[in-house]
Amino acid sequence: MSSAHSAVPTAGSVPSPSSPSSSTVSSSASAASAASSGDAAPTIAELLEFVRRTARNEELIASLPLDPEGRTWIRLDGPGGSEAWLIGWPPGTGTGWHDHADSIGAFTTAAGALKEHSLAVRLPTDGWKTLELTDGVDRSRELATGQGRAFGQNHVHEVLNESEDVHAVSVHAYYPPLPRIRRFSRTGAVLRLEQTESPEDWQ
């Protein structure tokens, strides 16, 4: 395991986990977090350990400017070539329903609290526009400061800061770096595919 990866600001790019609307952070920060060495692909457990350790880096968390109108972010060096982000969430913001294609991932709340709604079902990869979800597939969890979760491929969820007055900050990591994101809308039990984004759409 190696240590002390640097945060890499990405001027003008949109972080794929949440597509914030605000401008990117213009300054660098140091992330005193461990990462896997060598060329081996990181496991889900290693991604979760990375985001947990990074979330405990108080200096890094404090370096993220917070905007009352939109999300802010810093891109980080994740373990084993993974894609990682430090993201600030103003009160009342969220991602909307989406998945991460074939990437595995993990995220941890570093400050404030987040809520995740997810679907305990694997959606068809391609060839559909509208699906009717069955009963019992909805899952919700509160992620207070220091709490996080990992997930496998094709994980469908939305992440929200439901606070009326407190920012949240979180750390996310994905491997392989996100090849695409599918975005969905939902009305009751009906899930509709709205668009598919590729890296060139957010970089």
Side-chain angles (χ1 to χ4, degrees):
M1 303 283 284
S2 60
S3 61
H5 282 303
S6 296
V8 181
T10 54
S13 67
V14 175
S16 20
S18 56
S19 289
S21 58
S22 61
S23 61
T24 52
V25 176
S26 59
S27 60
S28 298
S30 295
S33 27
S36 301
S37 60
D39 297 327
T43 65
I44 289 179
E46 288 170 334
L47 293 180
L48 184 58
E49 171 60 21
F50 169 81
V51 297
R52 285 174 170 168
R53 187 170 301 172
T54 303
R56 294 193 295 268
N57 184 339
E58 295 181 1
E59 183 179 359
L60 174 64
I61 303 310
S63 74
L64 178 65
L66 300 178
D67 186 324
E69 301 299 326
R71 279 165 280 172
T72 51
W73 60 88
I74 296 174
R75 185 162 186 169
L76 308 174
D77 291 334
S82 61
E83 178 176 336
W85 299 92
L86 175 66
I87 299 177
W89 307 69
T93 57
T95 62
W97 287 96
H98 65 283
D99 72 2
H100 313 93
D102 295 328
S103 296
I104 60 174
F107 69 99
T108 291
T109 304
L114 294 172
K115 174 172 274 189
E116 182 200 40
H117 300 299
S118 61
L119 300 179
V121 62
R122 187 182 180 97
L123 300 182
T125 303
D126 292 299
W128 65 277
K129 288 292 185 182
T130 303
L131 288 177
E132 185 167 355
L133 302 171
T134 58
D135 292 339
V137 301
D138 284 288
R139 302 288 185 271
S140 292
R141 67 180 71 197
E142 299 277 354
L143 297 167
T145 300
Q147 296 182 326
R149 66 156 305 169
F151 50 84
Q153 297 175 332
N154 302 295
H155 178 66
V156 181
H157 71 168
E158 65 172 350
V159 181
L160 310 165
N161 177 7
E162 295 187 326
S163 172
E164 296 181 358
D165 53 11
V166 177
H167 263 81
V169 177
S170 57
V171 182
H172 303 245
Y174 307 90
Y175 188 86
L178 295 170
R180 65 174 181 167
I181 291 178
R182 293 188 297 180
R183 298 199 177 274
F184 312 102
S185 62
R186 183 172 178 183
T187 305
V190 177
L191 192 72
R192 181 181 298 276
L193 176 63
E194 296 293 348
Q195 67 183 98
T196 299
E197 299 175 1
S198 56
E200 54 266 27
D201 295 321
W202 61 73
Q203 293 182 7

PDB file of all heavy atoms in Angstrom, residues 10-16 75 83 85 177-178 198-203:
ATOM      1  N   THR A  10     -10.059  19.270 -11.701  1.00  0.00           N
ATOM      2  CA  THR A  10     -10.376  19.025 -13.107  1.00  0.00           C
ATOM      3  C   THR A  10     -11.195  20.188 -13.626  1.00  0.00           C
ATOM      4  O   THR A  10     -12.421  20.128 -13.663  1.00  0.00           O
ATOM      5  CB  THR A  10     -11.155  17.715 -13.250  1.00  0.00           C
ATOM      6  OG1 THR A  10     -12.290  17.780 -12.388  1.00  0.00           O
ATOM      7  CG2 THR A  10     -10.320  16.526 -12.870  1.00  0.00           C
ATOM      8  N   ALA A  11     -10.547  21.225 -14.014  1.00  0.00           N
ATOM      9  CA  ALA A  11     -11.242  22.438 -14.433  1.00  0.00           C
ATOM     10  C   ALA A  11     -12.151  22.161 -15.609  1.00  0.00           C
ATOM     11  O   ALA A  11     -11.726  21.649 -16.632  1.00  0.00           O
ATOM     12  CB  ALA A  11     -10.227  23.509 -14.801  1.00  0.00           C
ATOM     13  N   GLY A  12     -13.422  22.471 -15.430  1.00  0.00           N
ATOM     14  CA  GLY A  12     -14.380  22.361 -16.508  1.00  0.00           C
ATOM     15  C   GLY A  12     -14.990  21.003 -16.706  1.00  0.00           C
ATOM     16  O   GLY A  12     -15.849  20.831 -17.535  1.00  0.00           O
ATOM     17  N   SER A  13     -14.573  19.980 -15.925  1.00  0.00           N
ATOM     18  CA  SER A  13     -15.144  18.657 -16.118  1.00  0.00           C
ATOM     19  C   SER A  13     -16.232  18.410 -15.099  1.00  0.00           C
ATOM     20  O   SER A  13     -16.272  19.017 -14.051  1.00  0.00           O
ATOM     21  CB  SER A  13     -14.075  17.575 -16.005  1.00  0.00           C
ATOM     22  OG  SER A  13     -13.588  17.516 -14.694  1.00  0.00           O
ATOM     23  N   VAL A  14     -17.123  17.499 -15.410  1.00  0.00           N
ATOM     24  CA  VAL A  14     -18.249  17.190 -14.545  1.00  0.00           C
ATOM     25  C   VAL A  14     -18.017  15.833 -13.909  1.00  0.00           C
ATOM     26  O   VAL A  14     -17.778  14.866 -14.605  1.00  0.00           O
ATOM     27  CB  VAL A  14     -19.570  17.158 -15.350  1.00  0.00           C
ATOM     28  CG1 VAL A  14     -20.716  16.723 -14.466  1.00  0.00           C
ATOM     29  CG2 VAL A  14     -19.849  18.515 -15.944  1.00  0.00           C
ATOM     30  N   PRO A  15     -18.050  15.710 -12.585  1.00  0.00           N
ATOM     31  CA  PRO A  15     -17.826  14.429 -11.970  1.00  0.00           C
ATOM     32  C   PRO A  15     -18.987  13.496 -12.226  1.00  0.00           C
ATOM     33  O   PRO A  15     -20.122  13.796 -11.923  1.00  0.00           O
ATOM     34  CB  PRO A  15     -17.691  14.748 -10.478  1.00  0.00           C
ATOM     35  CG  PRO A  15     -18.413  16.016 -10.304  1.00  0.00           C
ATOM     36  CD  PRO A  15     -18.307  16.756 -11.611  1.00  0.00           C
ATOM     37  N   SER A  16     -18.705  12.363 -12.776  1.00  0.00           N
ATOM     38  CA  SER A  16     -19.738  11.455 -13.166  1.00  0.00           C
ATOM     39  C   SER A  16     -20.628  10.939 -12.066  1.00  0.00           C
ATOM     40  O   SER A  16     -21.761  10.626 -12.320  1.00  0.00           O
ATOM     41  CB  SER A  16     -19.123  10.281 -13.912  1.00  0.00           C
ATOM     42  OG  SER A  16     -17.772  10.151 -13.644  1.00  0.00           O
ATOM     43  N   ARG A  75     -11.304  16.092  -7.956  1.00  0.00           N
ATOM     44  CA  ARG A  75     -10.997  14.731  -8.376  1.00  0.00           C
ATOM     45  C   ARG A  75      -9.757  14.249  -7.628  1.00  0.00           C
ATOM     46  O   ARG A  75      -8.789  14.993  -7.465  1.00  0.00           O
ATOM     47  CB  ARG A  75     -10.772  14.651  -9.885  1.00  0.00           C
ATOM     48  CG  ARG A  75     -10.583  13.211 -10.337  1.00  0.00           C
ATOM     49  CD  ARG A  75     -10.780  13.028 -11.810  1.00  0.00           C
ATOM     50  NE  ARG A  75     -10.720  11.620 -12.148  1.00  0.00           N
ATOM     51  CZ  ARG A  75     -11.057  11.121 -13.319  1.00  0.00           C
ATOM     52  NH1 ARG A  75     -11.503  11.913 -14.272  1.00  0.00           N
ATOM     53  NH2 ARG A  75     -10.978   9.829 -13.544  1.00  0.00           N
ATOM     54  N   GLU A  83     -11.379   5.788 -10.390  1.00  0.00           N
ATOM     55  CA  GLU A  83     -11.843   7.173 -10.485  1.00  0.00           C
ATOM     56  C   GLU A  83     -12.411   7.564  -9.129  1.00  0.00           C
ATOM     57  O   GLU A  83     -13.260   6.858  -8.588  1.00  0.00           O
ATOM     58  CB  GLU A  83     -12.910   7.258 -11.570  1.00  0.00           C
ATOM     59  CG  GLU A  83     -13.525   8.617 -11.764  1.00  0.00           C
ATOM     60  CD  GLU A  83     -14.511   8.637 -12.924  1.00  0.00           C
ATOM     61  OE1 GLU A  83     -14.389   7.777 -13.823  1.00  0.00           O
ATOM     62  OE2 GLU A  83     -15.397   9.493 -12.931  1.00  0.00           O
ATOM     63  N   TRP A  85     -13.661  10.900  -6.295  1.00  0.00           N
ATOM     64  CA  TRP A  85     -14.127  12.283  -6.190  1.00  0.00           C
ATOM     65  C   TRP A  85     -14.416  12.639  -4.740  1.00  0.00           C
ATOM     66  O   TRP A  85     -14.949  11.823  -3.972  1.00  0.00           O
ATOM     67  CB  TRP A  85     -15.420  12.476  -6.984  1.00  0.00           C
ATOM     68  CG  TRP A  85     -15.304  12.212  -8.446  1.00  0.00           C
ATOM     69  CD1 TRP A  85     -15.538  11.028  -9.100  1.00  0.00           C
ATOM     70  CD2 TRP A  85     -14.904  13.135  -9.456  1.00  0.00           C
ATOM     71  NE1 TRP A  85     -15.316  11.175 -10.439  1.00  0.00           N
ATOM     72  CE2 TRP A  85     -14.923  12.457 -10.691  1.00  0.00           C
ATOM     73  CE3 TRP A  85     -14.541  14.479  -9.428  1.00  0.00           C
ATOM     74  CZ2 TRP A  85     -14.599  13.077 -11.888  1.00  0.00           C
ATOM     75  CZ3 TRP A  85     -14.206  15.103 -10.623  1.00  0.00           C
ATOM     76  CH2 TRP A  85     -14.236  14.399 -11.836  1.00  0.00           C
ATOM     77  N   PRO A 177     -12.708   3.227 -14.203  1.00  0.00           N
ATOM     78  CA  PRO A 177     -13.255   4.583 -14.368  1.00  0.00           C
ATOM     79  C   PRO A 177     -14.512   4.540 -15.214  1.00  0.00           C
ATOM     80  O   PRO A 177     -14.573   3.828 -16.213  1.00  0.00           O
ATOM     81  CB  PRO A 177     -12.100   5.330 -15.060  1.00  0.00           C
ATOM     82  CG  PRO A 177     -10.879   4.631 -14.562  1.00  0.00           C
ATOM     83  CD  PRO A 177     -11.265   3.179 -14.481  1.00  0.00           C
ATOM     84  N   LEU A 178     -15.513   5.267 -14.808  1.00  0.00           N
ATOM     85  CA  LEU A 178     -16.864   5.098 -15.337  1.00  0.00           C
ATOM     86  C   LEU A 178     -16.919   5.122 -16.871  1.00  0.00           C
ATOM     87  O   LEU A 178     -16.600   6.131 -17.487  1.00  0.00           O
ATOM     88  CB  LEU A 178     -17.780   6.182 -14.775  1.00  0.00           C
ATOM     89  CG  LEU A 178     -17.998   6.091 -13.264  1.00  0.00           C
ATOM     90  CD1 LEU A 178     -18.703   7.335 -12.762  1.00  0.00           C
ATOM     91  CD2 LEU A 178     -18.775   4.847 -12.892  1.00  0.00           C
ATOM     92  N   SER A 198     -21.612   9.208 -21.726  1.00  0.00           N
ATOM     93  CA  SER A 198     -20.279   8.615 -21.831  1.00  0.00           C
ATOM     94  C   SER A 198     -19.273   9.627 -21.313  1.00  0.00           C
ATOM     95  O   SER A 198     -19.617  10.809 -21.115  1.00  0.00           O
ATOM     96  CB  SER A 198     -19.984   8.246 -23.281  1.00  0.00           C
ATOM     97  OG  SER A 198     -20.114   9.360 -24.119  1.00  0.00           O
ATOM     98  N   PRO A 199     -18.014   9.225 -21.071  1.00  0.00           N
ATOM     99  CA  PRO A 199     -17.047  10.157 -20.482  1.00  0.00           C
ATOM    100  C   PRO A 199     -16.902  11.477 -21.211  1.00  0.00           C
ATOM    101  O   PRO A 199     -16.723  12.515 -20.569  1.00  0.00           O
ATOM    102  CB  PRO A 199     -15.739   9.352 -20.506  1.00  0.00           C
ATOM    103  CG  PRO A 199     -16.183   7.930 -20.408  1.00  0.00           C
ATOM    104  CD  PRO A 199     -17.474   7.873 -21.187  1.00  0.00           C
ATOM    105  N   GLU A 200     -17.009  11.474 -22.532  1.00  0.00           N
ATOM    106  CA  GLU A 200     -16.866  12.748 -23.240  1.00  0.00           C
ATOM    107  C   GLU A 200     -17.994  13.727 -22.936  1.00  0.00           C
ATOM    108  O   GLU A 200     -17.874  14.928 -23.185  1.00  0.00           O
ATOM    109  CB  GLU A 200     -16.774  12.524 -24.750  1.00  0.00           C
ATOM    110  CG  GLU A 200     -17.892  11.730 -25.351  1.00  0.00           C
ATOM    111  CD  GLU A 200     -17.573  10.253 -25.467  1.00  0.00           C
ATOM    112  OE1 GLU A 200     -16.761   9.749 -24.672  1.00  0.00           O
ATOM    113  OE2 GLU A 200     -18.161   9.590 -26.357  1.00  0.00           O
ATOM    114  N   ASP A 201     -19.099  13.227 -22.362  1.00  0.00           N
ATOM    115  CA  ASP A 201     -20.193  14.114 -22.002  1.00  0.00           C
ATOM    116  C   ASP A 201     -19.910  14.919 -20.731  1.00  0.00           C
ATOM    117  O   ASP A 201     -20.538  15.944 -20.501  1.00  0.00           O
ATOM    118  CB  ASP A 201     -21.490  13.316 -21.801  1.00  0.00           C
ATOM    119  CG  ASP A 201     -21.976  12.668 -23.083  1.00  0.00           C
ATOM    120  OD1 ASP A 201     -21.869  13.323 -24.133  1.00  0.00           O
ATOM    121  OD2 ASP A 201     -22.453  11.521 -23.035  1.00  0.00           O
ATOM    122  N   TRP A 202     -19.020  14.427 -19.880  1.00  0.00           N
ATOM    123  CA  TRP A 202     -18.763  15.132 -18.629  1.00  0.00           C
ATOM    124  C   TRP A 202     -17.319  15.583 -18.480  1.00  0.00           C
ATOM    125  O   TRP A 202     -16.946  16.134 -17.467  1.00  0.00           O
ATOM    126  CB  TRP A 202     -19.185  14.298 -17.417  1.00  0.00           C
ATOM    127  CG  TRP A 202     -18.489  12.979 -17.249  1.00  0.00           C
ATOM    128  CD1 TRP A 202     -17.205  12.772 -16.852  1.00  0.00           C
ATOM    129  CD2 TRP A 202     -19.060  11.679 -17.427  1.00  0.00           C
ATOM    130  NE1 TRP A 202     -16.938  11.431 -16.796  1.00  0.00           N
ATOM    131  CE2 TRP A 202     -18.062  10.735 -17.127  1.00  0.00           C
ATOM    132  CE3 TRP A 202     -20.330  11.232 -17.794  1.00  0.00           C
ATOM    133  CZ2 TRP A 202     -18.283   9.362 -17.205  1.00  0.00           C
ATOM    134  CZ3 TRP A 202     -20.546   9.860 -17.880  1.00  0.00           C
ATOM    135  CH2 TRP A 202     -19.532   8.949 -17.579  1.00  0.00           C
ATOM    136  N   GLN A 203     -16.465  15.376 -19.474  1.00  0.00           N
ATOM    137  CA  GLN A 203     -15.073  15.818 -19.376  1.00  0.00           C
ATOM    138  C   GLN A 203     -14.746  16.808 -20.479  1.00  0.00           C
ATOM    139  O   GLN A 203     -15.456  16.931 -21.439  1.00  0.00           O
ATOM    140  CB  GLN A 203     -14.143  14.607 -19.433  1.00  0.00           C
ATOM    141  CG  GLN A 203     -14.295  13.721 -18.199  1.00  0.00           C
ATOM    142  CD  GLN A 203     -13.342  12.535 -18.238  1.00  0.00           C
ATOM    143  OE1 GLN A 203     -12.483  12.421 -19.106  1.00  0.00           O
ATOM    144  NE2 GLN A 203     -13.500  11.660 -17.270  1.00  0.00           N
TER     145      GLN A 203
END
